[in-house]
PDB file of all heavy atoms in Angstrom:
ATOM      1  N   MET A  88     196.588 247.796  77.912  1.00  0.00           N
ATOM      2  CA  MET A  88     197.323 249.030  78.144  1.00  0.00           C
ATOM      3  C   MET A  88     198.814 248.693  78.142  1.00  0.00           C
ATOM      4  O   MET A  88     199.274 247.921  78.987  1.00  0.00           O
ATOM      5  CB  MET A  88     196.958 249.591  79.521  1.00  0.00           C
ATOM      6  CG  MET A  88     195.595 250.208  79.570  1.00  0.00           C
ATOM      7  SD  MET A  88     195.632 251.669  78.539  1.00  0.00           S
ATOM      8  CE  MET A  88     193.992 251.672  77.920  1.00  0.00           C
ATOM      9  N   GLY A 114     198.104 246.085  82.795  1.00  0.00           N
ATOM     10  CA  GLY A 114     199.360 245.456  83.163  1.00  0.00           C
ATOM     11  C   GLY A 114     199.882 245.975  84.492  1.00  0.00           C
ATOM     12  O   GLY A 114     199.434 247.010  85.001  1.00  0.00           O
ATOM     13  N   GLU A 117     206.547 244.270  84.960  1.00  0.00           N
ATOM     14  CA  GLU A 117     207.215 244.552  83.674  1.00  0.00           C
ATOM     15  C   GLU A 117     206.259 244.445  82.491  1.00  0.00           C
ATOM     16  O   GLU A 117     206.627 244.723  81.357  1.00  0.00           O
ATOM     17  CB  GLU A 117     208.404 243.620  83.466  1.00  0.00           C
ATOM     18  CG  GLU A 117     209.558 243.848  84.429  1.00  0.00           C
ATOM     19  CD  GLU A 117     209.976 245.313  84.486  1.00  0.00           C
ATOM     20  OE1 GLU A 117     210.107 245.947  83.429  1.00  0.00           O
ATOM     21  OE2 GLU A 117     210.139 245.817  85.615  1.00  0.00           O
ATOM     22  N   ILE A 134     198.752 255.373  76.331  1.00  0.00           N
ATOM     23  CA  ILE A 134     198.149 256.697  76.524  1.00  0.00           C
ATOM     24  C   ILE A 134     199.198 257.800  76.464  1.00  0.00           C
ATOM     25  O   ILE A 134     198.882 258.962  76.689  1.00  0.00           O
ATOM     26  CB  ILE A 134     197.314 256.792  77.820  1.00  0.00           C
ATOM     27  CG1 ILE A 134     198.185 256.646  79.058  1.00  0.00           C
ATOM     28  CG2 ILE A 134     196.181 255.789  77.815  1.00  0.00           C
ATOM     29  CD1 ILE A 134     197.550 257.283  80.289  1.00  0.00           C
ATOM     30  N   GLY A 135     200.430 257.483  76.099  1.00  0.00           N
ATOM     31  CA  GLY A 135     201.428 258.530  75.939  1.00  0.00           C
ATOM     32  C   GLY A 135     202.836 258.009  76.166  1.00  0.00           C
ATOM     33  O   GLY A 135     203.029 256.915  76.693  1.00  0.00           O
ATOM     34  N   TYR A 137     205.324 257.920  78.178  1.00  0.00           N
ATOM     35  CA  TYR A 137     205.859 257.944  79.540  1.00  0.00           C
ATOM     36  C   TYR A 137     205.424 256.640  80.170  1.00  0.00           C
ATOM     37  O   TYR A 137     204.574 255.944  79.621  1.00  0.00           O
ATOM     38  CB  TYR A 137     205.310 259.143  80.345  1.00  0.00           C
ATOM     39  CG  TYR A 137     203.855 259.406  80.042  1.00  0.00           C
ATOM     40  CD1 TYR A 137     202.862 258.613  80.636  1.00  0.00           C
ATOM     41  CD2 TYR A 137     203.459 260.392  79.150  1.00  0.00           C
ATOM     42  CE1 TYR A 137     201.528 258.813  80.333  1.00  0.00           C
ATOM     43  CE2 TYR A 137     202.126 260.598  78.848  1.00  0.00           C
ATOM     44  CZ  TYR A 137     201.165 259.807  79.442  1.00  0.00           C
ATOM     45  OH  TYR A 137     199.846 260.005  79.134  1.00  0.00           O
ATOM     46  N   LEU A 139     203.786 254.455  83.267  1.00  0.00           N
ATOM     47  CA  LEU A 139     202.962 254.415  84.472  1.00  0.00           C
ATOM     48  C   LEU A 139     203.353 253.188  85.287  1.00  0.00           C
ATOM     49  O   LEU A 139     204.020 252.280  84.778  1.00  0.00           O
ATOM     50  CB  LEU A 139     201.485 254.296  84.091  1.00  0.00           C
ATOM     51  CG  LEU A 139     200.928 255.338  83.116  1.00  0.00           C
ATOM     52  CD1 LEU A 139     199.558 254.897  82.613  1.00  0.00           C
ATOM     53  CD2 LEU A 139     200.842 256.687  83.809  1.00  0.00           C
ATOM     54  N   GLY A 141     201.106 251.141  86.406  1.00  0.00           N
ATOM     55  CA  GLY A 141     200.125 250.099  86.086  1.00  0.00           C
ATOM     56  C   GLY A 141     199.149 250.592  85.049  1.00  0.00           C
ATOM     57  O   GLY A 141     199.021 251.794  84.824  1.00  0.00           O
TER      58      GLY A 141
HETATM   59  N1  SAH B   1     208.334 247.279  81.212  1.00  0.00           N
HETATM   60  C1  SAH B   1     207.360 248.036  80.519  1.00  0.00           C
HETATM   61  C2  SAH B   1     206.631 249.009  81.451  1.00  0.00           C
HETATM   62  C3  SAH B   1     205.715 248.344  82.410  1.00  0.00           C
HETATM   63  S1  SAH B   1     204.806 249.503  83.325  1.00  0.00           S
HETATM   64  C4  SAH B   1     208.052 248.819  79.410  1.00  0.00           C
HETATM   65  O1  SAH B   1     209.179 249.261  79.613  1.00  0.00           O
HETATM   66  O2  SAH B   1     207.447 249.004  78.370  1.00  0.00           O
HETATM   67  C5  SAH B   1     203.533 248.491  83.980  1.00  0.00           C
HETATM   68  C6  SAH B   1     202.211 248.545  83.268  1.00  0.00           C
HETATM   69  O3  SAH B   1     201.726 249.862  83.288  1.00  0.00           O
HETATM   70  C7  SAH B   1     202.213 248.135  81.825  1.00  0.00           C
HETATM   71  O4  SAH B   1     202.105 246.748  81.668  1.00  0.00           O
HETATM   72  C8  SAH B   1     201.000 248.850  81.282  1.00  0.00           C
HETATM   73  O5  SAH B   1     199.806 248.106  81.503  1.00  0.00           O
HETATM   74  C9  SAH B   1     200.942 250.109  82.131  1.00  0.00           C
HETATM   75  N2  SAH B   1     201.480 251.268  81.433  1.00  0.00           N
HETATM   76  C10 SAH B   1     202.637 251.912  81.706  1.00  0.00           C
HETATM   77  N3  SAH B   1     202.827 252.957  80.893  1.00  0.00           N
HETATM   78  C11 SAH B   1     201.763 253.015  80.073  1.00  0.00           C
HETATM   79  C12 SAH B   1     201.391 253.875  78.996  1.00  0.00           C
HETATM   80  N4  SAH B   1     202.145 254.889  78.602  1.00  0.00           N
HETATM   81  N5  SAH B   1     200.217 253.617  78.369  1.00  0.00           N
HETATM   82  C13 SAH B   1     199.432 252.581  78.742  1.00  0.00           C
HETATM   83  N6  SAH B   1     199.748 251.725  79.752  1.00  0.00           N
HETATM   84  C14 SAH B   1     200.898 251.932  80.407  1.00  0.00           C
END
Side-chain angles (χ1 to χ4, degrees):
M88 286 293 147
E117 293 309 315
I134 65 156
Y137 39 79
L139 306 167

